[in-house]
Amino acid sequence: MDAHGLRELYDLVLRLSAVHDLDALVQEVVDHARRLLGVDVAYLALAEPDGSLVIRVTDGSLGPRLRGVVLPPHGGLAGQVADTGEPVQSADYLGDAALTHLGEVDRVAEDEGLRTILGVPLRLRGKVAGVLMVSQRAVRRFTAAESSLLTSLGSFAAIAIENAKLVTALAEANDRLERAVRLHDRLGEVALHGGAAEDVVVPLSELVSGLVLVADEHDEVRAAARAGSLVDARLDGKPSALFATARRTRVDGRTVTVPLASVNAYFGALQVVPEAPLAEADVRLLERSAMTVALVASVERAERRTAEELVEQLVTRRVREIPAHARDLRRPHLVVVSEDPRLRDFATSKSTVDGRVVALVRADEATVRSWSLGTTGLAGPATGAAALADAYDDAAACVRVLNALGRTGSTASPADLGPYRYLLSQAGRADAGTFVTRTLAPLLAHDDERGTDLVHTAEVFLRNGRRKTPAAEELTIHPNTLYQRLDRITALLGQDWQEGDRALDVHLALRIHRLAAELA
């Protein structure tokens, strides 16, 4: 490109930057393209959302047929320019077998007498926003300098067209701009002070007419709003089909889906189902809103992770004092340990320890029991790091005792375990061990010395109400074998081991002995 061409291009760029009316701007672009390259015809096609190109303006055409022609995606010379993002020229278009020809376009080219065509992209932010084309009615080879000049004009035109669209959109909606500023301020407050999904979708729905949805990374809808009010996130009784593949802004018909993501994490998506197609400025507004939601989600995830780590560290005694930022945990809390993951839905301070959910809750025992969870232990209320850790030990032991007693699916505190609560503490286990030894010493010694299992036989027999047939069936032994074992137990414990209060003591000692072994 020579100095004269550069100067003309520079002057043209200055003029284009001052034109904000889109129709006037694109007309001026083709007028100057025709003059700069000295061609018969110049025309410009803009990209549509579906990938097609529509010829908006022409200069030098013989009639009106060229204007308004729709070029399908990937078709013809213009489609090749749009696909590759590079200049394409054909010395004799109608006879060029290397191009995919389109019937209507070929007929218009024949009517116009177009032979040589050069097309260049209007590229903006890595995308082709349109194609600028010049044509000669005689065969001509455009030079590399001419192709470069037209490409530069196309690049500047793309920027000017984008600016004109934005200026036009803003000029047509001053009140919309004011509301956008207010939304920006509100979103800033959400980002600064933290908030939930509804804190974003409600103000956004005041600006965008239609349904606004936020879903998490698992495609669960967290909030939905319309016209400034929260609504049910279901449409016509069915969950909205949303977001699994949303990793960049996607427009499907009228529906716009924007990802909620940081550099290293995906949090979900923001989706709008508008009553009318959204303008480009509205899409940009959604993207800015999504950035705010992603920021809030990132902070929430970090805070949740930190809170879960703190709960785990407190109950396992890796933290000896409650840190200053967790002032709420300095108040009395119940410690709840459950094999039911639904406990997470009822608590904010929670974690997972040894495969079970652990929660510190500001609720009374009656409330926790009303949650109807699976096998669950609870203890407290407790205050302070040491007391919370002790309460966790009791609650976790309650779960183990419930399972050992066959009471799965139940909720219990230490007070619900009767004499078995002694197994929850070191001192209690020592006392229980003394009781077991005093009650069963001869039997325990016999099993230990002989390798027999009379202790288990005695417990099964008493558990079956001293009925021999079901006890033998449970032990999978012949009744005569059971009789022999019972005689040996009687010889070791005395004749009264099956009767009255002595039977109760023996049965309790047998159960405590088994539970202590299972809890060890």
Side-chain angles (χ1 to χ4, degrees), residues 297-375:
S298 178
V299 172
E300 286 180 343
R301 178 176 290 185
E303 290 178 343
R304 185 169 62 250
R305 187 183 302 113
T306 300
E308 291 193 3
E309 289 175 353
L310 176 59
V311 170
E312 190 269 340
Q313 291 169 350
L314 278 172
V315 300
T316 57
R317 295 180 172 82
R318 291 163 57 196
V319 171
R320 299 295 182 177
E321 294 183 1
I322 295 176
H325 66 80
R327 288 189 297 271
D328 181 65
L329 294 182
R330 296 180 180 179
R331 297 189 292 172
H333 281 72
L334 274 183
V335 179
V336 185
V337 178
S338 182
E339 296 180 341
D340 192 333
R342 291 178 300 163
L343 174 57
R344 287 184 165 275
D345 298 332
F346 296 98
T348 54
S349 298
K350 59 207 171 190
S351 187
T352 300
V353 180
D354 294 333
R356 298 187 179 99
V357 181
V358 179
L360 310 182
V361 299
R362 295 277 297 162
D364 54 28
E365 285 193 21
T367 300
V368 175
R369 294 175 192 275
S370 72
W371 295 341
S372 300
L373 300 170
T375 309

Side-chain angles (χ1 to χ4, degrees), residues 388-459:
L388 287 170
D390 290 342
Y392 164 75
D393 290 342
D394 286 350
C398 282
V399 173
R400 296 197 299 273
V401 171
L402 288 173
N403 286 327
L405 292 173
R407 291 165 55 184
T408 57
S410 302
T411 297
S413 68
D416 298 314
L417 300 179
Y420 305 110
R421 68 177 299 174
Y422 293 109
L423 299 174
L424 302 184
S425 67
Q426 191 67 37
R429 283 193 291 272
D431 291 340
T434 300
F435 168 69
V436 169
T437 299
R438 288 176 178 175
T439 307
L440 303 175
L443 201 60
L444 295 172
H446 184 279
D447 278 352
D448 186 51
E449 294 170 1
R450 308 289 182 84
T452 56
D453 198 11
L454 296 182
V455 169
H456 181 54
T457 299
E459 184 182 3

Side-chain angles (χ1 to χ4, degrees), residues 142-223:
F142 290 104
T143 66
E146 290 173 322
S147 177
S148 176
L149 178 61
L150 192 64
T151 299
S152 297
L153 176 57
S155 298
F156 289 122
I159 297 172
I161 289 171
E162 174 73 3
N163 289 339
K165 287 180 178 179
L166 292 175
V167 170
T168 299
L170 292 174
E172 290 175 350
N174 286 329
D175 61 325
R176 193 179 189 83
L177 177 59
E178 291 176 2
R179 285 187 291 162
V181 171
R182 291 198 298 271
L183 175 64
H184 180 271
D185 292 341
R186 292 179 65 176
L187 293 180
E189 287 295 311
V190 172
L192 182 62
H193 301 296
E198 54 265 26
D199 296 320
V200 173
V201 296
V202 169
L204 190 57
S205 69
E206 296 172 354
L207 182 64
V208 179
S209 61
L211 183 67
V212 182
L213 302 163
V214 168
D216 63 18
E217 65 269 32
H218 305 297
D219 286 354
E220 293 291 333
V221 178
R222 291 308 183 192

